[in-house]
Amino acid sequence: MKFLLLLPVLLWPSFADAENIKVLSYNVWFDDASGSAFRYQQINALISRENADYVCLQEVTPTYLQMLEKAFAAQYHLYDDHIANKRYGNVVLTKAADARSRILRLETHMNRNALIVYDQDYAVVNIHLESLLTDTRIWERQIAQINHQVLHFPKVILCGDVNFGDGERENARLSAFVDPGQDLAEVTYDVENNPFAQRTAFYGEPSRRLDRILIKSDPPVVNVRFEVKKVVFSDHYPIVLLFDDRR
């Protein structure tokens, strides 16, 4: 298990002016057969153990949404992008009682949205971009939509499954954000070692870092730790970001 420690050249904050914030992002895979049998319970247990302030989930089905609502009603406020009306979608769980939400309809052939949940501190943007290997132009237009939508938020956490890997040109469109997992460069869609990824991968698709938690904040957050959790509860691995937020 690896951690990345990023130390910007800033005075270290005291406990009085910093708050520890934790973010979990996970593409949970929309397969209800294996999910209802065992995977969804494992994912719920992971969410409980991590006890993150914000949880971003992608590929949540109506069936799993009901399980989440029952399991975490006392711990989190839950927001989704109208999952009841489609095959699967995005969910944000937040501990912030003052949160509000909006849904950004993306340019898409796959019914994809960005789910934006915002409170007095952060706008959390949960994304699941188009899934085909040749969707470069759509990815770029989707990112442009998201960038425009979050311009007025001073602090943004962008999390989810971007569906493109490191070294691809779409990454340049995310240059306004800090990418804590970039230097660590551990894959989150692991065709070599994750049997669920082996089942869902396109022919010839390589292992890649598809999942991101990105931050835009002024002043920058400090004491950043990023982790890829190599548990096989989905065709993706979950990722966790922990940081101190200057108030």
Side-chain angles (χ1 to χ4, degrees), residues 54-246:
Y54 303 107
V55 180
C56 298
L57 305 176
Q58 305 86 45
E59 295 195 18
V60 175
T61 64
T63 295
Y64 186 34
L65 178 63
Q66 292 179 358
M67 292 180 64
L68 287 168
E69 290 171 337
K70 292 178 181 178
F72 297 106
Q75 185 178 355
Y76 287 107
H77 302 275
L78 185 150
Y79 299 87
D80 72 277
D81 61 344
H82 301 320
I83 289 172
N85 301 324
K86 55 186 180 178
R87 187 180 182 190
Y88 57 79
N90 297 341
V91 164
V92 170
L93 303 173
T94 175
K95 293 181 178 179
D98 62 338
R100 303 171 69 181
S101 70
R102 68 176 69 157
I103 297 170
L104 173 62
R105 175 70 174 172
L106 299 176
E107 180 178 339
T108 179
H109 302 299
M110 305 183 74
N111 202 15
R112 300 291 166 85
N113 301 312
L115 175 60
I116 304 172
V117 176
Y118 54 100
D119 54 44
Q120 63 180 353
D121 297 316
Y122 277 92
V124 178
V125 185
N126 188 5
I127 62 173
H128 184 201
L129 302 187
E130 222 76 354
S131 295
L132 300 182
L133 296 177
T134 56
D135 280 333
T136 293
R137 291 185 178 180
I138 295 180
W139 289 329
E140 290 180 328
R141 291 195 289 269
Q142 289 176 333
I143 295 169
Q145 286 181 271
I146 294 163
N147 283 337
H148 178 74
Q149 189 71 21
V150 302
L151 278 175
H152 66 286
F153 290 111
K155 295 184 177 183
V156 180
I157 298 170
L158 181 65
C159 53
D161 178 2
V162 299
N163 269 316
F164 52 80
D166 291 310
E168 299 182 52
R169 80 183 200 191
E170 300 82 10
N171 290 284
R173 301 297 180 107
L174 296 169
S175 60
F177 293 87
V178 174
D179 183 356
Q182 183 174 21
D183 291 338
L184 189 63
E186 286 195 65
V187 300
T188 61
Y189 189 73
D190 188 353
V191 178
E192 282 74 28
N193 301 296
N194 186 334
F196 293 136
Q198 292 167 4
R199 288 174 55 181
T200 61
F202 293 108
Y203 178 77
E205 182 176 6
S207 298
R208 292 177 294 164
R209 186 175 73 99
L210 300 183
D211 303 88
R212 314 285 173 89
I213 302 175
L214 312 179
I215 303 177
K216 183 182 76 170
S217 177
D218 186 16
V221 300
V222 296
N223 193 20
V224 179
R225 291 187 292 164
F226 181 86
E227 180 183 3
V228 177
K229 291 191 166 291
K230 296 187 177 180
V231 294
V232 184
F233 305 153
S234 170
D235 57 346
H236 290 240
Y237 294 143
I239 55 177
V240 176
L241 181 67
L242 186 68
F243 62 90
D244 287 344
D245 179 36
R246 287 193 160 198

